[in-house]
Amino acid sequence: MADHANSPANRVIAPPNRTAAHDDPPLVRAALILTAVAIMGFLVVVPLVNVLVGAFAGGWHAYWKNLVGDPDTLHSIKLTLMVAPVAVIANLVFGVAAAWAIARFRFPGRAMLTAFIDLPFTVSPVVVGLFLLLLFGLQGYFGPWLREHDVKIVFAYPGLVLATMFVTFPVIARELIPLMEALGAEEEVAAVSLGARGWQLFRMITLPNIKWGLLYGVILANARAMGEFGAVFVVSGHIAGKTDTMPLRVEKLFQEYNMPGAFAVSSVLALLALVTLAVKTTLEWKQRRDLAENERLRRAGE
C-alpha cells in the first residue's frame, strides 16, 4: 500500500513557484528599463524637443508670424480643422454601428466585416489615395459623370475628407468592439424586456457604458486624421492655399528650406499629439476604473 501511494502516478506534484520563476534579477530589470527609456528618448523625446526648440528659436513673435503671417500656412491650419471633424463624425457613426453589430449579433459575413474594418491598417495610405484617384479622378471610373455634373472630388475638399475617413474609420470601431464584448448584453436585454425602445436603450444603457471608450476612440481618430499624409497627398494635388493640410504644408515648407515655418507648423501637430496623449492616459484610467466597478457590481449581484 505504501509503495502504491508513493508511485509516480499518485504522487502529488507541488505547483511551481510562479513568483520566483518570473522574478528577474534586479540587474536584468534595470537593463531592460534603461534600454526602453533610451529608445523612447532617442526616437520620441529628442525629435520632439528639437521641433519645439526650432519652432521658438526666433522668439514668440517670429513663431506667431510663421503660423498666421503666411496665408498658405494659415489656410492649411483652417483646412485641417475643417477636414478632421467631418471625418471623425462620420467614423463615429460607422464605428458605433459596426461595433454594435459585431459585438451583439452573430450573422453571416461577420468575420468578413471584421476583416474589412481592419483593411486600412494593412493597406498603405498612398494606395488608398490612388484608389480614390482611379475612382473619382477625371479619367477615373466616375470621372465622366462627375465632369458632366460639374462635381469635383479629387483635388478638392471632398477628396480630402474621403481619404481621411478611409484611413481612420477602423479606429473607433476597434476601440468599441472589445469593450462592448467585455461588458456583455445583460443590461441591454433587461432593458428590452422592460419595454425600452432602441433609442432609449442606446442613450440610457449602452452609451453610459461605452462613453470612455467612445471618447478615447474619437480622440485617437482625430489625432490620426490631423496627421494623415499619404492618402491626402495623392488626392489633394498639393495645391498651396487650396488643398494643403498641415502635414502637407510642413513637407512643402521643408522642401522650400523654410525651416522656421516647417518647425512652427510641426510644433502645432506635436502639441496636439501631447494633448491627445494626456487625454488618452486619463481616459484609459477612467475606463479601467469603470470596468472594475462593473465587474464588482456583477459579482455582488451573483
Side-chain angles (χ1 to χ4, degrees):
M1 291 293 292
D3 292 340
H4 179 73
N6 293 326
S7 64
N10 294 288
R11 190 176 301 155
V12 177
I13 301 176
N17 189 337
R18 296 183 180 274
T19 302
H22 292 80
D23 190 12
D24 294 324
L27 186 61
V28 174
R29 284 181 291 171
L32 292 174
I33 293 173
L34 288 176
T35 301
V37 171
I39 292 174
M40 291 298 296
F42 180 75
L43 296 179
V44 178
V45 177
V46 172
L48 179 61
V49 172
N50 185 48
V51 167
L52 295 178
V53 170
F56 291 98
W60 174 259
H61 179 73
Y63 174 79
W64 186 252
K65 183 179 179 181
N66 286 324
L67 287 179
V68 301
D70 184 354
D72 292 341
T73 298
L74 184 59
H75 182 272
S76 71
I77 296 173
K78 293 178 179 179
L79 183 61
T80 302
L81 297 178
M82 291 170 59
V83 170
V86 175
V88 170
I89 291 173
N91 287 327
L92 173 64
V93 176
F94 168 80
V96 172
W100 193 320
I102 292 173
R104 294 291 182 262
F105 304 102
R106 299 296 182 266
F107 52 90
R110 180 174 178 271
M112 184 174 295
L113 175 60
T114 305
F116 278 133
I117 289 176
D118 292 334
L119 187 63
F121 287 146
T122 60
V123 177
S124 169
V126 176
V127 176
V128 173
L130 181 61
F131 167 74
L132 294 174
L133 191 63
L134 294 176
L135 279 179
F136 302 110
L138 292 180
Q139 305 302 321
Y141 185 79
F142 298 108
W145 185 90
L146 294 173
R147 184 170 56 250
E148 180 181 348
H149 293 81
D150 195 25
V151 177
K152 291 192 66 176
I153 294 181
V154 174
F155 308 146
Y157 175 77
L160 303 180
V161 173
L162 284 176
T164 306
M165 284 172 53
F166 188 90
V167 299
T168 58
F169 83 77
V171 178
I172 297 177
R174 268 302 170 192
E175 289 298 327
L176 292 181
I177 290 172
L179 175 61
M180 295 181 70
E181 288 178 341
L183 291 172
E186 290 82 3
E187 294 183 19
E188 295 169 357
V189 172
V192 171
S193 67
L194 293 174
R197 298 180 179 274
W199 176 244
Q200 290 177 316
L201 175 67
F202 177 77
R203 181 171 57 88
M204 302 180 67
I205 305 296
T206 304
L207 186 59
N209 286 336
I210 67 172
K211 60 180 182 296
W212 297 122
L214 182 62
L215 186 57
Y216 178 40
V218 167
I219 291 171
L220 290 183
N222 184 67
R224 180 73 177 85
M226 287 190 172
E228 173 54 29
F229 181 85
V232 171
F233 182 89
V234 176
V235 301
S236 70
H238 216 340
I239 307 171
K242 291 186 179 295
T243 59
D244 268 356
T245 58
M246 279 196 285
L248 301 184
R249 187 59 185 163
V250 170
E251 191 266 346
K252 181 165 288 186
L253 291 170
F254 180 79
Q255 294 294 337
E256 295 173 352
Y257 299 100
N258 185 352
M259 302 309 294
F263 277 129
V265 182
S266 298
S267 70
V268 176
L269 293 172
L271 291 174
L272 289 173
L274 291 176
V275 172
T276 301
L277 181 63
V279 176
K280 169 182 173 292
T281 303
T282 303
L283 292 179
E284 284 179 338
W285 173 77
K286 289 181 177 294
Q287 185 175 348
R288 286 195 301 267
R289 185 191 64 181
D290 287 356
L291 286 175
E293 180 65 17
N294 290 336
E295 181 66 16
R296 186 187 66 80
L297 293 175
R298 186 182 68 81
R299 291 182 178 179
E302 292 176 353

